[in-house]
Amino acid sequence: MALSLETQWTVVACGVMAHADGVLDGEECDLLLAMVEGEADAEEYSAWLSTISDRERLEEMLGQLPAPEPAAQREILETAWSIAVADGERTAPEEQALARIAERLGVEGVQLEFWRDAWTDGQHQTAELLTDAACVVLGGNAPLDADARAQVRAFTRGVPTTADHREELVAGTAIPKTLVDVGRRMRAIPRRKRQWAIKSLAHLPGRCSRREDAQRRLVQLGAEAGLSAAILDSLLGSS
């Protein structure tokens, strides 16, 4: 089962960005490849796992892939950028990598700068959504206990925002969240990014005293977000 051209571009762009200032580890590879669930069979998934780990191969593919439809350009670049800056930091190597990807896509520098300003403004919303999702997984619709709040604090270190905003997010865990509301908000983001978000939450139940309850809520959240049972099983089956 071949990946769509847009998905190939998304994975390659995300891989190039992730390699920009370091080497991918296995967990990062799994997160990136969460976006191909539902499009790749086992053989192709394995091939892409090898590709995403190989910086030189990714650079080759960046130069070889045919151009996608212009309508796909912004989402490809936004997904790559948002995943690369998940720690809230924007480094010069990442900015240079994004510029190279945009050039290959035929996006002018002025347009990229305009989009990036919008993405920066939206980072807080993404961070809030991910943190609220973590609260729902760990505590359901009830207030979090001290252990769950500590888990959420640790989780926020990997969401795309600033240190000051992370403190606001942790303070906000005192307000109960509802699974249905968080699922509705998650449904509004692109499918590939939804899959990445659910995968990023996959480790939380294993650190919860009531693991089965947390795992059940995670699956329910994914369903509320519009992901199929088959894709959720692939994303969470080994978690």
PDB file of all heavy atoms in Angstrom, residues 25-53:
ATOM      1  N   ASP A  25      15.844   9.399  18.055  1.00  0.00           N
ATOM      2  CA  ASP A  25      15.866   8.136  18.787  1.00  0.00           C
ATOM      3  C   ASP A  25      14.622   7.336  18.395  1.00  0.00           C
ATOM      4  O   ASP A  25      13.777   7.800  17.625  1.00  0.00           O
ATOM      5  CB  ASP A  25      15.943   8.363  20.297  1.00  0.00           C
ATOM      6  CG  ASP A  25      14.753   9.165  20.845  1.00  0.00           C
ATOM      7  OD1 ASP A  25      13.651   9.109  20.260  1.00  0.00           O
ATOM      8  OD2 ASP A  25      14.924   9.834  21.872  1.00  0.00           O
ATOM      9  N   GLY A  26      14.516   6.131  18.928  1.00  0.00           N
ATOM     10  CA  GLY A  26      13.415   5.255  18.536  1.00  0.00           C
ATOM     11  C   GLY A  26      12.052   5.825  18.865  1.00  0.00           C
ATOM     12  O   GLY A  26      11.105   5.702  18.075  1.00  0.00           O
ATOM     13  N   GLU A  27      11.920   6.480  20.006  1.00  0.00           N
ATOM     14  CA  GLU A  27      10.633   7.045  20.402  1.00  0.00           C
ATOM     15  C   GLU A  27      10.205   8.154  19.448  1.00  0.00           C
ATOM     16  O   GLU A  27       9.038   8.260  19.070  1.00  0.00           O
ATOM     17  CB  GLU A  27      10.719   7.595  21.827  1.00  0.00           C
ATOM     18  CG  GLU A  27       9.403   8.133  22.361  1.00  0.00           C
ATOM     19  CD  GLU A  27       9.499   8.591  23.808  1.00  0.00           C
ATOM     20  OE1 GLU A  27      10.507   8.273  24.473  1.00  0.00           O
ATOM     21  OE2 GLU A  27       8.554   9.250  24.265  1.00  0.00           O
ATOM     22  N   GLU A  28      11.165   8.992  19.036  1.00  0.00           N
ATOM     23  CA  GLU A  28      10.850  10.069  18.090  1.00  0.00           C
ATOM     24  C   GLU A  28      10.433   9.499  16.740  1.00  0.00           C
ATOM     25  O   GLU A  28       9.520  10.023  16.086  1.00  0.00           O
ATOM     26  CB  GLU A  28      12.062  10.986  17.937  1.00  0.00           C
ATOM     27  CG  GLU A  28      12.345  11.837  19.157  1.00  0.00           C
ATOM     28  CD  GLU A  28      13.669  12.585  19.038  1.00  0.00           C
ATOM     29  OE1 GLU A  28      14.646  11.995  18.557  1.00  0.00           O
ATOM     30  OE2 GLU A  28      13.704  13.753  19.441  1.00  0.00           O
ATOM     31  N   CYS A  29      11.082   8.429  16.310  1.00  0.00           N
ATOM     32  CA  CYS A  29      10.705   7.776  15.053  1.00  0.00           C
ATOM     33  C   CYS A  29       9.262   7.272  15.122  1.00  0.00           C
ATOM     34  O   CYS A  29       8.483   7.448  14.180  1.00  0.00           O
ATOM     35  CB  CYS A  29      11.635   6.613  14.737  1.00  0.00           C
ATOM     36  SG  CYS A  29      13.289   7.098  14.211  1.00  0.00           S
ATOM     37  N   ASP A  30       8.919   6.639  16.237  1.00  0.00           N
ATOM     38  CA  ASP A  30       7.553   6.137  16.406  1.00  0.00           C
ATOM     39  C   ASP A  30       6.540   7.266  16.341  1.00  0.00           C
ATOM     40  O   ASP A  30       5.461   7.127  15.749  1.00  0.00           O
ATOM     41  CB  ASP A  30       7.417   5.412  17.747  1.00  0.00           C
ATOM     42  CG  ASP A  30       8.064   4.031  17.736  1.00  0.00           C
ATOM     43  OD1 ASP A  30       8.354   3.530  16.637  1.00  0.00           O
ATOM     44  OD2 ASP A  30       8.280   3.472  18.822  1.00  0.00           O
ATOM     45  N   LEU A  31       6.873   8.405  16.948  1.00  0.00           N
ATOM     46  CA  LEU A  31       5.960   9.538  16.924  1.00  0.00           C
ATOM     47  C   LEU A  31       5.761  10.060  15.510  1.00  0.00           C
ATOM     48  O   LEU A  31       4.637  10.349  15.090  1.00  0.00           O
ATOM     49  CB  LEU A  31       6.496  10.664  17.819  1.00  0.00           C
ATOM     50  CG  LEU A  31       6.185  10.570  19.306  1.00  0.00           C
ATOM     51  CD1 LEU A  31       6.948  11.633  20.080  1.00  0.00           C
ATOM     52  CD2 LEU A  31       4.681  10.707  19.551  1.00  0.00           C
ATOM     53  N   LEU A  32       6.845  10.179  14.763  1.00  0.00           N
ATOM     54  CA  LEU A  32       6.732  10.671  13.394  1.00  0.00           C
ATOM     55  C   LEU A  32       5.929   9.705  12.532  1.00  0.00           C
ATOM     56  O   LEU A  32       5.072  10.119  11.745  1.00  0.00           O
ATOM     57  CB  LEU A  32       8.120  10.883  12.778  1.00  0.00           C
ATOM     58  CG  LEU A  32       8.969  12.013  13.366  1.00  0.00           C
ATOM     59  CD1 LEU A  32      10.288  12.120  12.613  1.00  0.00           C
ATOM     60  CD2 LEU A  32       8.231  13.337  13.307  1.00  0.00           C
ATOM     61  N   LEU A  33       6.180   8.415  12.702  1.00  0.00           N
ATOM     62  CA  LEU A  33       5.502   7.432  11.867  1.00  0.00           C
ATOM     63  C   LEU A  33       4.066   7.183  12.308  1.00  0.00           C
ATOM     64  O   LEU A  33       3.322   6.492  11.608  1.00  0.00           O
ATOM     65  CB  LEU A  33       6.300   6.127  11.832  1.00  0.00           C
ATOM     66  CG  LEU A  33       7.582   6.228  10.998  1.00  0.00           C
ATOM     67  CD1 LEU A  33       8.369   4.935  11.057  1.00  0.00           C
ATOM     68  CD2 LEU A  33       7.278   6.586   9.552  1.00  0.00           C
ATOM     69  N   ALA A  34       3.661   7.749  13.435  1.00  0.00           N
ATOM     70  CA  ALA A  34       2.244   7.667  13.813  1.00  0.00           C
ATOM     71  C   ALA A  34       1.372   8.301  12.745  1.00  0.00           C
ATOM     72  O   ALA A  34       0.208   7.938  12.583  1.00  0.00           O
ATOM     73  CB  ALA A  34       2.015   8.371  15.155  1.00  0.00           C
ATOM     74  N   MET A  35       1.947   9.207  11.974  1.00  0.00           N
ATOM     75  CA  MET A  35       1.166   9.890  10.939  1.00  0.00           C
ATOM     76  C   MET A  35       0.841   9.012   9.744  1.00  0.00           C
ATOM     77  O   MET A  35      -0.017   9.353   8.935  1.00  0.00           O
ATOM     78  CB  MET A  35       1.912  11.149  10.480  1.00  0.00           C
ATOM     79  CG  MET A  35       1.998  12.214  11.559  1.00  0.00           C
ATOM     80  SD  MET A  35       2.835  13.707  10.994  1.00  0.00           S
ATOM     81  CE  MET A  35       4.518  13.111  10.827  1.00  0.00           C
ATOM     82  N   VAL A  36       1.526   7.868   9.585  1.00  0.00           N
ATOM     83  CA  VAL A  36       1.252   7.005   8.424  1.00  0.00           C
ATOM     84  C   VAL A  36       0.310   5.863   8.770  1.00  0.00           C
ATOM     85  O   VAL A  36      -0.017   5.055   7.899  1.00  0.00           O
ATOM     86  CB  VAL A  36       2.561   6.439   7.807  1.00  0.00           C
ATOM     87  CG1 VAL A  36       3.575   7.539   7.565  1.00  0.00           C
ATOM     88  CG2 VAL A  36       3.155   5.329   8.657  1.00  0.00           C
ATOM     89  N   GLU A  37      -0.134   5.784  10.032  1.00  0.00           N
ATOM     90  CA  GLU A  37      -1.072   4.721  10.405  1.00  0.00           C
ATOM     91  C   GLU A  37      -2.324   4.815   9.525  1.00  0.00           C
ATOM     92  O   GLU A  37      -2.866   5.883   9.306  1.00  0.00           O
ATOM     93  CB  GLU A  37      -1.474   4.845  11.877  1.00  0.00           C
ATOM     94  CG  GLU A  37      -0.349   4.641  12.859  1.00  0.00           C
ATOM     95  CD  GLU A  37       0.164   3.212  12.895  1.00  0.00           C
ATOM     96  OE1 GLU A  37      -0.499   2.322  12.354  1.00  0.00           O
ATOM     97  OE2 GLU A  37       1.241   3.002  13.478  1.00  0.00           O
ATOM     98  N   GLY A  38      -2.737   3.667   9.031  1.00  0.00           N
ATOM     99  CA  GLY A  38      -3.904   3.627   8.164  1.00  0.00           C
ATOM    100  C   GLY A  38      -3.571   3.755   6.696  1.00  0.00           C
ATOM    101  O   GLY A  38      -4.432   3.534   5.840  1.00  0.00           O
ATOM    102  N   GLU A  39      -2.328   4.121   6.381  1.00  0.00           N
ATOM    103  CA  GLU A  39      -1.915   4.255   4.983  1.00  0.00           C
ATOM    104  C   GLU A  39      -0.820   3.269   4.597  1.00  0.00           C
ATOM    105  O   GLU A  39      -0.622   3.008   3.421  1.00  0.00           O
ATOM    106  CB  GLU A  39      -1.425   5.687   4.700  1.00  0.00           C
ATOM    107  CG  GLU A  39      -2.508   6.742   4.728  1.00  0.00           C
ATOM    108  CD  GLU A  39      -1.994   8.083   4.218  1.00  0.00           C
ATOM    109  OE1 GLU A  39      -1.448   8.146   3.107  1.00  0.00           O
ATOM    110  OE2 GLU A  39      -2.139   9.076   4.962  1.00  0.00           O
ATOM    111  N   ALA A  40      -0.088   2.751   5.584  1.00  0.00           N
ATOM    112  CA  ALA A  40       1.048   1.870   5.281  1.00  0.00           C
ATOM    113  C   ALA A  40       0.827   0.484   5.864  1.00  0.00           C
ATOM    114  O   ALA A  40       0.372   0.342   6.996  1.00  0.00           O
ATOM    115  CB  ALA A  40       2.331   2.473   5.852  1.00  0.00           C
ATOM    116  N   ASP A  41       1.138  -0.550   5.060  1.00  0.00           N
ATOM    117  CA  ASP A  41       1.112  -1.910   5.599  1.00  0.00           C
ATOM    118  C   ASP A  41       2.425  -2.160   6.354  1.00  0.00           C
ATOM    119  O   ASP A  41       3.295  -1.286   6.430  1.00  0.00           O
ATOM    120  CB  ASP A  41       0.887  -2.940   4.494  1.00  0.00           C
ATOM    121  CG  ASP A  41       1.933  -2.864   3.383  1.00  0.00           C
ATOM    122  OD1 ASP A  41       3.050  -2.363   3.645  1.00  0.00           O
ATOM    123  OD2 ASP A  41       1.643  -3.302   2.261  1.00  0.00           O
ATOM    124  N   ALA A  42       2.566  -3.360   6.918  1.00  0.00           N
ATOM    125  CA  ALA A  42       3.721  -3.649   7.770  1.00  0.00           C
ATOM    126  C   ALA A  42       5.042  -3.495   7.021  1.00  0.00           C
ATOM    127  O   ALA A  42       6.021  -2.955   7.557  1.00  0.00           O
ATOM    128  CB  ALA A  42       3.607  -5.065   8.342  1.00  0.00           C
ATOM    129  N   GLU A  43       5.074  -3.955   5.778  1.00  0.00           N
ATOM    130  CA  GLU A  43       6.329  -3.881   5.001  1.00  0.00           C
ATOM    131  C   GLU A  43       6.719  -2.436   4.725  1.00  0.00           C
ATOM    132  O   GLU A  43       7.874  -2.048   4.876  1.00  0.00           O
ATOM    133  CB  GLU A  43       6.157  -4.652   3.690  1.00  0.00           C
ATOM    134  CG  GLU A  43       7.432  -4.691   2.850  1.00  0.00           C
ATOM    135  CD  GLU A  43       7.268  -5.533   1.580  1.00  0.00           C
ATOM    136  OE1 GLU A  43       6.213  -6.193   1.437  1.00  0.00           O
ATOM    137  OE2 GLU A  43       8.190  -5.515   0.748  1.00  0.00           O
ATOM    138  N   GLU A  44       5.728  -1.638   4.314  1.00  0.00           N
ATOM    139  CA  GLU A  44       6.047  -0.247   4.006  1.00  0.00           C
ATOM    140  C   GLU A  44       6.368   0.539   5.280  1.00  0.00           C
ATOM    141  O   GLU A  44       7.234   1.409   5.279  1.00  0.00           O
ATOM    142  CB  GLU A  44       4.897   0.421   3.260  1.00  0.00           C
ATOM    143  CG  GLU A  44       5.258   1.832   2.805  1.00  0.00           C
ATOM    144  CD  GLU A  44       4.375   2.355   1.693  1.00  0.00           C
ATOM    145  OE1 GLU A  44       3.308   1.784   1.454  1.00  0.00           O
ATOM    146  OE2 GLU A  44       4.784   3.344   1.054  1.00  0.00           O
ATOM    147  N   TYR A  45       5.672   0.215   6.367  1.00  0.00           N
ATOM    148  CA  TYR A  45       5.960   0.872   7.642  1.00  0.00           C
ATOM    149  C   TYR A  45       7.419   0.628   8.026  1.00  0.00           C
ATOM    150  O   TYR A  45       8.138   1.550   8.445  1.00  0.00           O
ATOM    151  CB  TYR A  45       5.029   0.348   8.726  1.00  0.00           C
ATOM    152  CG  TYR A  45       5.150   1.063  10.049  1.00  0.00           C
ATOM    153  CD1 TYR A  45       4.285   2.096  10.386  1.00  0.00           C
ATOM    154  CD2 TYR A  45       6.139   0.703  10.973  1.00  0.00           C
ATOM    155  CE1 TYR A  45       4.391   2.755  11.606  1.00  0.00           C
ATOM    156  CE2 TYR A  45       6.255   1.353  12.187  1.00  0.00           C
ATOM    157  CZ  TYR A  45       5.385   2.377  12.502  1.00  0.00           C
ATOM    158  OH  TYR A  45       5.506   3.027  13.687  1.00  0.00           O
ATOM    159  N   SER A  46       7.875  -0.614   7.862  1.00  0.00           N
ATOM    160  CA  SER A  46       9.256  -0.955   8.188  1.00  0.00           C
ATOM    161  C   SER A  46      10.235  -0.182   7.307  1.00  0.00           C
ATOM    162  O   SER A  46      11.272   0.295   7.781  1.00  0.00           O
ATOM    163  CB  SER A  46       9.463  -2.464   8.022  1.00  0.00           C
ATOM    164  OG  SER A  46      10.802  -2.815   8.290  1.00  0.00           O
ATOM    165  N   ALA A  47       9.882  -0.062   6.020  1.00  0.00           N
ATOM    166  CA  ALA A  47      10.751   0.673   5.099  1.00  0.00           C
ATOM    167  C   ALA A  47      10.845   2.143   5.491  1.00  0.00           C
ATOM    168  O   ALA A  47      11.930   2.744   5.467  1.00  0.00           O
ATOM    169  CB  ALA A  47      10.220   0.540   3.673  1.00  0.00           C
ATOM    170  N   TRP A  48       9.720   2.729   5.888  1.00  0.00           N
ATOM    171  CA  TRP A  48       9.731   4.126   6.292  1.00  0.00           C
ATOM    172  C   TRP A  48      10.444   4.323   7.625  1.00  0.00           C
ATOM    173  O   TRP A  48      11.074   5.362   7.851  1.00  0.00           O
ATOM    174  CB  TRP A  48       8.305   4.683   6.348  1.00  0.00           C
ATOM    175  CG  TRP A  48       7.834   5.141   5.005  1.00  0.00           C
ATOM    176  CD1 TRP A  48       7.039   4.461   4.124  1.00  0.00           C
ATOM    177  CD2 TRP A  48       8.175   6.368   4.360  1.00  0.00           C
ATOM    178  NE1 TRP A  48       6.861   5.195   2.985  1.00  0.00           N
ATOM    179  CE2 TRP A  48       7.535   6.369   3.098  1.00  0.00           C
ATOM    180  CE3 TRP A  48       8.934   7.472   4.721  1.00  0.00           C
ATOM    181  CZ2 TRP A  48       7.655   7.437   2.209  1.00  0.00           C
ATOM    182  CZ3 TRP A  48       9.051   8.540   3.841  1.00  0.00           C
ATOM    183  CH2 TRP A  48       8.419   8.513   2.601  1.00  0.00           C
ATOM    184  N   LEU A  49      10.368   3.335   8.504  1.00  0.00           N
ATOM    185  CA  LEU A  49      11.097   3.420   9.762  1.00  0.00           C
ATOM    186  C   LEU A  49      12.599   3.509   9.490  1.00  0.00           C
ATOM    187  O   LEU A  49      13.320   4.282  10.131  1.00  0.00           O
ATOM    188  CB  LEU A  49      10.787   2.202  10.634  1.00  0.00           C
ATOM    189  CG  LEU A  49      11.482   2.141  11.998  1.00  0.00           C
ATOM    190  CD1 LEU A  49      11.097   3.345  12.851  1.00  0.00           C
ATOM    191  CD2 LEU A  49      11.139   0.842  12.713  1.00  0.00           C
ATOM    192  N   SER A  50      13.054   2.725   8.532  1.00  0.00           N
ATOM    193  CA  SER A  50      14.465   2.766   8.146  1.00  0.00           C
ATOM    194  C   SER A  50      14.811   4.111   7.521  1.00  0.00           C
ATOM    195  O   SER A  50      15.850   4.710   7.813  1.00  0.00           O
ATOM    196  CB  SER A  50      14.767   1.627   7.169  1.00  0.00           C
ATOM    197  OG  SER A  50      16.090   1.699   6.698  1.00  0.00           O
ATOM    198  N   THR A  51      13.908   4.606   6.666  1.00  0.00           N
ATOM    199  CA  THR A  51      14.151   5.874   5.974  1.00  0.00           C
ATOM    200  C   THR A  51      14.211   7.035   6.949  1.00  0.00           C
ATOM    201  O   THR A  51      15.099   7.891   6.874  1.00  0.00           O
ATOM    202  CB  THR A  51      13.044   6.124   4.933  1.00  0.00           C
ATOM    203  OG1 THR A  51      13.093   5.108   3.940  1.00  0.00           O
ATOM    204  CG2 THR A  51      13.210   7.490   4.266  1.00  0.00           C
ATOM    205  N   ILE A  52      13.269   7.087   7.887  1.00  0.00           N
ATOM    206  CA  ILE A  52      13.176   8.222   8.800  1.00  0.00           C
ATOM    207  C   ILE A  52      14.390   8.300   9.717  1.00  0.00           C
ATOM    208  O   ILE A  52      14.738   9.368  10.224  1.00  0.00           O
ATOM    209  CB  ILE A  52      11.871   8.138   9.621  1.00  0.00           C
ATOM    210  CG1 ILE A  52      11.424   9.535  10.062  1.00  0.00           C
ATOM    211  CG2 ILE A  52      12.019   7.257  10.834  1.00  0.00           C
ATOM    212  CD1 ILE A  52      10.673  10.296   9.047  1.00  0.00           C
ATOM    213  N   SER A  53      15.085   7.176   9.880  1.00  0.00           N
ATOM    214  CA  SER A  53      16.280   7.148  10.731  1.00  0.00           C
ATOM    215  C   SER A  53      17.531   7.573   9.979  1.00  0.00           C
ATOM    216  O   SER A  53      18.584   7.786  10.586  1.00  0.00           O
ATOM    217  CB  SER A  53      16.493   5.734  11.292  1.00  0.00           C
ATOM    218  OG  SER A  53      15.346   5.272  11.959  1.00  0.00           O
TER     219      SER A  53
END
